[in-house]
Amino acid sequence: MALAIATRHPLEPLSAHEVQQAVALLRGFGKVTPTTRFVSISLKEPRKDLVHAFTGEQTIAREAFAVLFDNATNTCAEAVVSLTTSELLSHRTLSGVQPTMTVDEQIECEQAVLASPEFKAALKKQYGIDDTSLVMVDIWSAGNYGSEEDRTMRLARPLCFLRRDPTDNGYVRPIEGIRPVVDLNTMRVIRVEEFSHWPLPPGECNYAADRATDVRKDIKPLEIVQPEGPSFEVDGYRVGWQNWSFVVGFNAREGLTLHDLRYRDDGRDRPILYRASLTEMVVPYGDPGPTQRRKNAFDVGEYGMGMCANSLELGCDCLGLIKYFDAQMVDSRGEPLTIKNAICMHEEDFGILWKHTDRRLNTPEVRRSRRLVVSSVSTVENYEYGFFWYLYQDGSIQFEIKLTGILSMGALMPGEKAKYGSIVAPQLYAPNHQHFFNVRLDFDLDGASNSVQQIDVVADEPSEANPYENAFQARATTLKTEQQARAHLNLETARTWKIISTDKRNHVGEPVGYKFLPGDNSFPMASPNAWWRKRAGFVNSHVWVTPYRDDEKYGAGDYPNQSSGGDGLIKWTAQDRPIEATDVVFWYTFGHTHLPRPEDYPVMPTAYIGFMLKPNGFFAMNPANDVPPSAKKLAVKGSCCH
Ligand SMILES: [Cu+2]
């Protein structure tokens, strides 16, 4: 398709220039002191009605939203500046909240621990080590366990590891018995907590190409060739691909976002999703031991998924012709922070799209499926998360998270078993844990007036009309209020959800709709009274539906770091607002229960989790009926064709 809009789309992320303009404005308005950290600067998205009214002709004012934190006063501030009129549109201070830890704080925290005399003394006492140059210090969020310091200070509780040499995989040697506590405001170690002494695990295990000792030699090249180029078009951060169009977004907190996703049908670009984002995630660990019981990371609200994104310039794993997008952010001192090639976009062959052979005519008709992949990968200390949006030719949308990287591991005494985890190597174990993700899907399905139906498949009772007791039917419950909408997956009823338009009907008189199809999921194992669960109310239900509010973006609330909990979805939906025939937002929480395996060591083969959205009465027929057959090629010896 051709992109018709000549002007920049109002939802395109801030450019590097705009980010710096926002920094300069905030400085000019006296909102930045020598002890201020810039936590994030991102696009303040224009009001929805303005975006809906956008035709490509008019320019919509550009605004930046900044989160600032003053270490001297332990105070957070939010500001909005107009990049169009250079005005300070709003500024407010928030006391008692801790915004996301910045990348600079990660680095400074490591340096503070390595320079701490108390830490050095503990290391010497427990392990006989003087040299800290091989110690790795991973910033771990402190959480909130009800103490005065958890409530009133900006804290981190790093985990430490010891490499054997400067490029060794240090995660296989946890310094289990020492836990420094760092005040991120003064950037000082306030104390070093010492526990029992665990010897360093004796093993050594690396994965880097230059250190792996035995590499298999039976792999021949597999190349993807696109001699006429890719089938997508790009203008700024706007993308067109076959019938799809959308805007790629990115910010320090959520990382990759998708906006204004539409499908061209019969000459019309029909809106489907206004905004899709990962709003939060939490990784609670299940070991109650004194050195492990506090481990639970909120990777979005505490670390910033965008801030932790990889530059795929060097380490991209996509095949074919790739379009990269850069991410423009700011470091904590207001200097430009560009993650080059933070987002990768490419096309993939995806097997059979559809096929039928008319047996009597012997005329096989087959089409190959192709999908557009938009992805980004974040490294949060030991772990990697890949975020992959897939668009398909049949109108399906898939979100898949790829979990890889390195397990968070602990040391064991010789001969000790791991009741709450798995031993992966001698004296080295990985505790059981879960990964819960929360995604926000702001639907605009053929317009803003939508409803959500919960679909349960139920069997009919035996009756005269059901003499063979084979009958079952789909029962749709239109969700009317927020509390009614809170729900879990249910395998017994093959439960799904359907987002429908309240005013657009399809060719057979039914509301146009898109189906939400969940994938793997879990329930939280920790008690509802566990400290982390108070802060992660979004894990209490798999599905939530809210009426659209532009200030309701994050499942655990705006500031989950060290929060005392109760914020976000749990609080908003307590209002039990009406959600029928309105602009609805569908939220989905999905969990991966990770019982580690020795095969997850030293680096984990990717695990996958996600969901699908499929048109369901949105189109009049299979929208991929018009995909032409692939060009026939002469068979290469030894090849076969599907
Ligand atoms: Cu895991």
Side-chain angles (χ1 to χ4, degrees), residues 479-487 543-547 552 569 571-579:
L479 303 170
K480 296 180 187 312
T481 70
E482 290 178 301
Q483 288 187 24
Q484 183 198 7
R486 290 178 182 175
V543 163
W544 310 73
V545 183
T546 59
E552 295 179 1
L569 280 167
K571 181 171 123 190
W572 307 324
T573 58
Q575 302 166 79
D576 206 22
R577 296 168 293 190
I579 52 170

Short mmCIF file of all heavy atoms in Angstrom, two decimals, residues 479-487 543-547 552 569 571-579:
data_model
loop_
_atom_site.label_atom_id
_atom_site.label_comp_id
_atom_site.label_asym_id
_atom_site.label_seq_id
_atom_site.Cartn_x
_atom_site.Cartn_y
_atom_site.Cartn_z
N LEU A 479 -19.79 -7.74 28.70
CA LEU A 479 -19.33 -7.24 30.00
C LEU A 479 -19.77 -5.80 30.19
O LEU A 479 -19.53 -4.96 29.34
CB LEU A 479 -17.80 -7.39 30.08
CG LEU A 479 -17.31 -8.82 29.85
CD1 LEU A 479 -15.80 -8.87 29.70
CD2 LEU A 479 -17.77 -9.74 31.00
N LYS A 480 -20.43 -5.59 31.33
CA LYS A 480 -21.04 -4.28 31.54
C LYS A 480 -20.23 -3.38 32.47
O LYS A 480 -20.27 -2.17 32.36
CB LYS A 480 -22.45 -4.44 32.10
CG LYS A 480 -23.39 -5.14 31.12
CD LYS A 480 -24.78 -5.27 31.70
CE LYS A 480 -25.69 -6.10 30.84
NZ LYS A 480 -25.71 -5.75 29.42
N THR A 481 -19.54 -3.99 33.44
CA THR A 481 -18.78 -3.18 34.39
C THR A 481 -17.41 -3.78 34.63
O THR A 481 -17.16 -4.95 34.34
CB THR A 481 -19.50 -3.08 35.76
OG1 THR A 481 -19.44 -4.36 36.39
CG2 THR A 481 -20.93 -2.63 35.62
N GLU A 482 -16.54 -2.97 35.21
CA GLU A 482 -15.15 -3.39 35.40
C GLU A 482 -15.01 -4.63 36.28
O GLU A 482 -14.20 -5.50 36.01
CB GLU A 482 -14.36 -2.24 36.04
CG GLU A 482 -14.15 -1.07 35.10
CD GLU A 482 -13.41 0.07 35.77
OE1 GLU A 482 -13.89 0.59 36.80
OE2 GLU A 482 -12.34 0.44 35.27
N GLN A 483 -15.81 -4.69 37.33
CA GLN A 483 -15.64 -5.83 38.22
C GLN A 483 -16.18 -7.11 37.61
O GLN A 483 -15.63 -8.19 37.82
CB GLN A 483 -16.25 -5.53 39.59
CG GLN A 483 -15.37 -4.51 40.31
CD GLN A 483 -15.77 -4.26 41.73
OE1 GLN A 483 -16.40 -5.10 42.37
NE2 GLN A 483 -15.42 -3.09 42.24
N GLN A 484 -17.22 -6.98 36.83
CA GLN A 484 -17.73 -8.15 36.12
C GLN A 484 -16.68 -8.67 35.13
O GLN A 484 -16.59 -9.86 34.87
CB GLN A 484 -19.02 -7.78 35.37
CG GLN A 484 -19.66 -8.96 34.66
CD GLN A 484 -20.66 -8.52 33.59
OE1 GLN A 484 -20.79 -7.33 33.28
NE2 GLN A 484 -21.36 -9.48 33.03
N ALA A 485 -15.88 -7.75 34.61
CA ALA A 485 -14.92 -8.13 33.56
C ALA A 485 -13.68 -8.82 34.09
O ALA A 485 -13.00 -9.53 33.36
CB ALA A 485 -14.52 -6.88 32.78
N ARG A 486 -13.35 -8.62 35.37
CA ARG A 486 -12.17 -9.29 35.92
C ARG A 486 -12.37 -10.80 35.81
O ARG A 486 -13.34 -11.35 36.31
CB ARG A 486 -12.03 -8.97 37.41
CG ARG A 486 -11.64 -7.54 37.73
CD ARG A 486 -11.60 -7.42 39.25
NE ARG A 486 -11.27 -6.07 39.69
CZ ARG A 486 -11.27 -5.71 40.98
NH1 ARG A 486 -11.63 -6.59 41.91
NH2 ARG A 486 -10.94 -4.49 41.32
N ALA A 487 -11.45 -11.47 35.15
CA ALA A 487 -11.65 -12.91 34.92
C ALA A 487 -10.33 -13.63 34.72
O ALA A 487 -9.31 -13.03 34.40
CB ALA A 487 -12.54 -13.11 33.70
N VAL A 543 -7.61 -11.19 32.96
CA VAL A 543 -8.24 -10.21 32.07
C VAL A 543 -8.90 -9.10 32.88
O VAL A 543 -9.52 -9.36 33.92
CB VAL A 543 -9.27 -10.90 31.15
CG1 VAL A 543 -10.24 -9.91 30.52
CG2 VAL A 543 -8.56 -11.70 30.06
N TRP A 544 -8.71 -7.90 32.39
CA TRP A 544 -9.33 -6.71 32.97
C TRP A 544 -9.85 -5.87 31.81
O TRP A 544 -9.23 -5.86 30.73
CB TRP A 544 -8.31 -5.85 33.72
CG TRP A 544 -7.44 -6.57 34.72
CD1 TRP A 544 -6.42 -7.42 34.44
CD2 TRP A 544 -7.51 -6.48 36.16
NE1 TRP A 544 -5.85 -7.87 35.62
CE2 TRP A 544 -6.49 -7.30 36.68
CE3 TRP A 544 -8.32 -5.77 37.05
CZ2 TRP A 544 -6.26 -7.45 38.04
CZ3 TRP A 544 -8.09 -5.91 38.40
CH2 TRP A 544 -7.08 -6.75 38.90
N VAL A 545 -10.93 -5.17 32.01
CA VAL A 545 -11.42 -4.23 31.00
C VAL A 545 -11.72 -2.93 31.71
O VAL A 545 -12.37 -2.93 32.76
CB VAL A 545 -12.69 -4.76 30.29
CG1 VAL A 545 -13.12 -3.78 29.19
CG2 VAL A 545 -12.46 -6.15 29.69
N THR A 546 -11.24 -1.84 31.14
CA THR A 546 -11.50 -0.52 31.73
C THR A 546 -12.01 0.42 30.64
O THR A 546 -11.75 0.19 29.45
CB THR A 546 -10.21 0.10 32.33
OG1 THR A 546 -9.24 0.23 31.28
CG2 THR A 546 -9.65 -0.73 33.45
N PRO A 547 -12.73 1.48 31.03
CA PRO A 547 -13.02 2.52 30.06
C PRO A 547 -11.75 3.33 29.83
O PRO A 547 -10.96 3.51 30.76
CB PRO A 547 -14.11 3.35 30.75
CG PRO A 547 -13.89 3.14 32.21
CD PRO A 547 -13.28 1.78 32.37
N GLU A 552 -4.36 6.25 32.58
CA GLU A 552 -4.32 4.88 33.10
C GLU A 552 -3.55 4.01 32.12
O GLU A 552 -4.11 3.43 31.19
CB GLU A 552 -5.75 4.36 33.32
CG GLU A 552 -6.48 5.13 34.41
CD GLU A 552 -7.92 4.65 34.64
OE1 GLU A 552 -8.35 3.68 33.97
OE2 GLU A 552 -8.60 5.25 35.49
N LEU A 569 -4.48 -1.24 38.11
CA LEU A 569 -5.75 -1.88 37.72
C LEU A 569 -6.64 -2.19 38.91
O LEU A 569 -7.86 -2.04 38.86
CB LEU A 569 -5.44 -3.17 36.96
CG LEU A 569 -5.08 -2.96 35.49
CD1 LEU A 569 -4.49 -4.23 34.90
CD2 LEU A 569 -6.30 -2.51 34.69
N LYS A 571 -6.94 -0.67 41.67
CA LYS A 571 -7.58 0.54 42.20
C LYS A 571 -8.62 1.09 41.21
O LYS A 571 -9.75 1.39 41.60
CB LYS A 571 -6.50 1.60 42.45
CG LYS A 571 -7.01 2.91 43.01
CD LYS A 571 -5.87 3.79 43.43
CE LYS A 571 -5.92 5.12 42.74
NZ LYS A 571 -4.71 5.91 42.94
N TRP A 572 -8.24 1.18 39.96
CA TRP A 572 -9.17 1.76 38.98
C TRP A 572 -10.44 0.93 38.87
O TRP A 572 -11.54 1.47 38.83
CB TRP A 572 -8.51 1.85 37.59
CG TRP A 572 -7.20 2.56 37.56
CD1 TRP A 572 -6.84 3.66 38.32
CD2 TRP A 572 -6.07 2.24 36.76
NE1 TRP A 572 -5.55 4.01 38.02
CE2 TRP A 572 -5.05 3.17 37.07
CE3 TRP A 572 -5.80 1.26 35.80
CZ2 TRP A 572 -3.80 3.14 36.45
CZ3 TRP A 572 -4.57 1.24 35.18
CH2 TRP A 572 -3.58 2.17 35.51
N THR A 573 -10.26 -0.39 38.78
CA THR A 573 -11.44 -1.22 38.54
C THR A 573 -12.31 -1.36 39.80
O THR A 573 -13.44 -1.83 39.71
CB THR A 573 -11.05 -2.62 38.01
OG1 THR A 573 -10.18 -3.24 38.96
CG2 THR A 573 -10.36 -2.54 36.68
N ALA A 574 -11.78 -0.95 40.95
CA ALA A 574 -12.60 -0.94 42.17
C ALA A 574 -13.77 0.03 42.01
O ALA A 574 -14.80 -0.11 42.67
CB ALA A 574 -11.75 -0.56 43.38
N GLN A 575 -13.62 1.00 41.11
CA GLN A 575 -14.72 1.95 40.88
C GLN A 575 -15.89 1.29 40.17
O GLN A 575 -16.98 1.83 40.15
CB GLN A 575 -14.22 3.13 40.01
CG GLN A 575 -13.05 3.88 40.61
CD GLN A 575 -12.41 4.79 39.57
OE1 GLN A 575 -12.92 5.87 39.29
NE2 GLN A 575 -11.32 4.36 38.96
N ASP A 576 -15.60 0.17 39.53
CA ASP A 576 -16.65 -0.59 38.82
C ASP A 576 -17.38 0.28 37.79
O ASP A 576 -18.61 0.27 37.69
CB ASP A 576 -17.64 -1.19 39.83
CG ASP A 576 -18.32 -2.43 39.25
OD1 ASP A 576 -17.75 -3.04 38.32
OD2 ASP A 576 -19.40 -2.78 39.72
N ARG A 577 -16.59 0.98 37.01
CA ARG A 577 -17.17 1.88 36.01
C ARG A 577 -17.82 1.09 34.87
O ARG A 577 -17.42 -0.04 34.59
CB ARG A 577 -16.06 2.78 35.42
CG ARG A 577 -15.44 3.71 36.45
CD ARG A 577 -14.17 4.36 35.94
NE ARG A 577 -13.10 3.39 35.75
CZ ARG A 577 -11.83 3.72 35.49
NH1 ARG A 577 -11.48 5.00 35.39
NH2 ARG A 577 -10.92 2.78 35.33
N PRO A 578 -18.79 1.68 34.19
CA PRO A 578 -19.38 0.99 33.05
C PRO A 578 -18.38 0.87 31.90
O PRO A 578 -17.57 1.77 31.67
CB PRO A 578 -20.56 1.88 32.66
CG PRO A 578 -20.38 3.17 33.37
CD PRO A 578 -19.44 2.96 34.51
N ILE A 579 -18.43 -0.25 31.21
CA ILE A 579 -17.49 -0.50 30.12
C ILE A 579 -18.20 -0.93 28.84
O ILE A 579 -17.56 -1.37 27.89
CB ILE A 579 -16.46 -1.59 30.52
CG1 ILE A 579 -17.17 -2.83 31.04
CG2 ILE A 579 -15.45 -1.06 31.52
CD1 ILE A 579 -16.27 -4.03 31.24
#
